[in-house]
Amino acid sequence: MTKNIRNIGIIAHVDHGKTTLVDKLLREGGVYRAGQAMEERAMDSMDLEKEKGITIKAKNASIHWGGYTINIVDTPGHADFGGEVERILKMVDGVLLLVDAFDGPQAQTRFVLRKALQNGLKVIVVINKIDREHANPRKAHDQVLELLLELNAAEEQFNAPFIYASARDGYALRNLGDKPNGMTPLFETILQHIPAPRADPNAPFQMLVSNLDWSDYVGRIAIGKITGGSVKIGDPIVCIHKDGRRERASVTKVFEFSGLKSGEIVTGEAGNIIGISGLEEVAIGETLCDSEEQEPVPFVELDPPTIQMQFAVNDGPLAGRDGKFVTARHVRERLYKEIRTNISLHVEDTDAPNIFLVSARGEMQIAILVEQMRREGHEVLVSRPEVILKRSSAGVSPVTSSMTGGRDARPTGKGDTLLEPIEMLWIEAPNECLGDVLQNLAARKAEIANMNHHGHGVTVEAVIPTRGLIGFETDLVNLTSGRAAMSHLFNGYEPWRGEIMTRRTGTLVSMENGIATSWALNNIQERGKLFIGPGEDVYEGMIIGENPRAEDMPVNPAKTKHLTNIRSQGEGKGIQLEPPLKMSLERSLEYIALDEYVEATPKNLRLRKKILNATQRKRAAMSGSAAAEALA
């Protein structure tokens, strides 16, 4: 039975065509019956995945082809969701490395390939999008070989087979110039080069939990590859938790994947990827087995989070208008529910009962979580991202940095060195924009490692602090009129690089509660750029616009025109307001300063000060500056 199973993961950089390729494999694998409507990007089941065009969660599917069962795991391509890739590598025996024939290997390609090689997985390289204009599959082929050499691939891994494909048009070729014949060459290569699962059918039952699912009928479902023995409904099993506890349970259901759905089966065989229900408490990385004497299966260590943000209960005047879940208990339960399935996130309680610290790989990962919470009916305040620092003398004790590199971020002991997370950054930009891009990078403490001019522009490779990346993507879009592309990858911890000035502008802060009027906004727009329009609710401490100068300016957007019985000189002159700047959630998180929050509700995104009252804000600023002087 095990010989007829193949378990593969699909890894690639963002937008290189993973999900489209899976669509074609599912179609040719007979998942859809004749006449059945095919859904485009079927594996992107979340609404956010379809809207943003990226994969966020790793998902399973299964194809039956030529008498074999091919279990496929589609993984995210964005670096912030790398934890999804790392945890599935124990579940598969080989990977399809997808590379764009035009772009070649990118940052995330390097990351996921390194993880796959370290796990000893067989690799099949698929050069995708060979039908794309200006595609250069031969160059991409050479670049992949160079990357395999650079990552110290074993000889067997270096001699990986290459397939040339157009996932959009639904064909794969063994050699360039072959006649297209559907996906058959890719299926045949998978069966020839990906080994059958290493699992002993006669050994005691053992399975590593690599994913979790939920059913309203049977509760929590643990998903993983059976590494030994078999399991059937009614069997007693033991869950070995991460803290060493051994908990007994009984199997209530066994599920096997078929196409995009899972169906009940009687027995789960060795080597197959299955789901088991019957456990109330189980986490990713824990081991299921048939006796308490067995040792747990080792789980891959994940890369640590590099940034953290505060999640706070919405305490503003408009709290509770949009959302259903607004209390600290609701926010806390939702965050701790998330870390059960998203193991690269960390959540901590703080001294304040209404504030929680969430650590992650990047701001995109946090923004996706906030967006999901909004859509579920939560209201939450989110702070600006701050990097997680370490002190060299204490090993790995984390401290949180001020994003502006203030005095509170300086080393406080003798002989210790403050370390901060550093990333490798790759930028593709037009030649005429290079000067502006390099100037922006210099202000963010980046060091240029390599620069390569080519026909389409210039490729810049730089080493930059993680805090220098926050807000950089927006700057890059503005500097290049949207013609540049960037990707980045965590590179390690290095000594603190000094202060980085982020936002150079101040804000227009409302000093009254009420409803914004056109007459007031018309006067305010002369002082800066507006974030709101007339008729919107405002409150004291809410940020309603941007001040070109560095300081914050108090304004009254709810002020109305005093009416008298004397006609004013400007009577009959229409008010012309410029359209307000509406920022996305990601842009809002980048924009705010340390003393500000993004207020995220199901219907609104607002920017506000952490302390709403202007007098209290001034007192806090004075006491903060006094403490900083004392520290100095």
Side-chain angles (χ1 to χ4, degrees), residues 127 130 137-138 141 162-166 171-176:
I127 308 292
I130 59 172
R138 297 187 192 281
H141 175 280
F162 277 75
I163 295 290
Y164 304 91
S166 168
Y171 66 83
L173 312 172
R174 289 183 183 272
N175 300 294
L176 290 170

Side-chain angles (χ1 to χ4, degrees), residues 4-141:
N4 294 338
I5 297 174
R6 298 292 184 272
N7 300 319
I8 60 168
I10 300 188
I11 54 179
H13 190 77
V14 176
D15 201 32
H16 280 199
K18 295 182 307 301
T19 311
T20 306
L21 181 72
V22 174
D23 277 355
K24 300 303 180 185
L25 293 176
L26 291 172
R27 174 184 284 181
E28 204 153 315
V31 170
Y32 299 95
R33 65 180 183 274
Q36 182 180 355
M38 257 202 70
E39 189 180 355
E40 188 179 348
R41 292 190 292 122
M43 291 290 271
D44 284 350
S45 54
M46 295 167 57
D47 289 341
L48 273 173
E49 291 179 320
K50 292 186 184 297
E51 290 169 21
K52 293 181 175 291
I54 60 172
T55 304
I56 296 170
K57 293 281 187 186
K59 292 177 230 39
N60 297 67
S62 181
I63 296 170
H64 300 284
W65 192 88
Y68 287 80
T69 298
I70 302 174
N71 293 310
I72 298 175
V73 188
D74 185 20
T75 61
H78 197 285
D80 284 10
F81 308 107
E84 295 287 309
V85 179
E86 292 171 81
R87 66 180 171 78
I88 69 99
L89 293 178
K90 284 285 184 184
M91 200 161 52
V92 298
D93 305 291
V95 292
L96 296 186
L97 176 71
L98 218 62
V99 177
D100 191 305
F102 175 77
D103 294 333
Q106 299 289 301
Q108 183 69 359
T109 315
R110 179 185 302 267
F111 167 75
V112 291
L113 182 57
R114 185 176 70 232
K115 293 288 181 183
L117 296 177
Q118 288 171 354
N119 279 269
L121 300 178
K122 292 284 188 71
V123 179
I124 296 175
V125 183
V126 180
I127 308 292
N128 192 28
K129 301 188 182 182
I130 59 172
D131 58 313
R132 185 177 171 185
E133 190 179 3
H134 304 304
N136 192 343
R138 297 187 192 281
K139 182 181 177 183
H141 175 280

Side-chain angles (χ1 to χ4, degrees), residues 333-347:
E333 282 180 358
R334 179 61 182 84
L335 291 175
Y336 277 93
K337 177 186 171 187
E338 181 69 21
I339 61 174
R340 288 179 179 176
T341 55
N342 194 342
I343 53 175
S344 59
L345 276 181
H346 294 177
V347 177

Side-chain angles (χ1 to χ4, degrees), residues 512 515-521 523-524 556-562:
E512 294 289 341
I515 297 176
T517 64
S518 299
W519 188 78
L521 294 179
N523 294 324
I524 294 171
N556 183 4
K559 190 175 182 181
T560 55
K561 183 178 181 182
H562 294 290

Side-chain angles (χ1 to χ4, degrees), residues 232-233 253-256 263-269 272 274:
K232 60 181 184 294
I233 297 171
K253 297 281 184 186
V254 180
F255 300 92
E256 182 182 49
E264 292 182 31
I265 55 173
V266 177
T267 305
E269 302 287 346
N272 204 1
I274 64 158

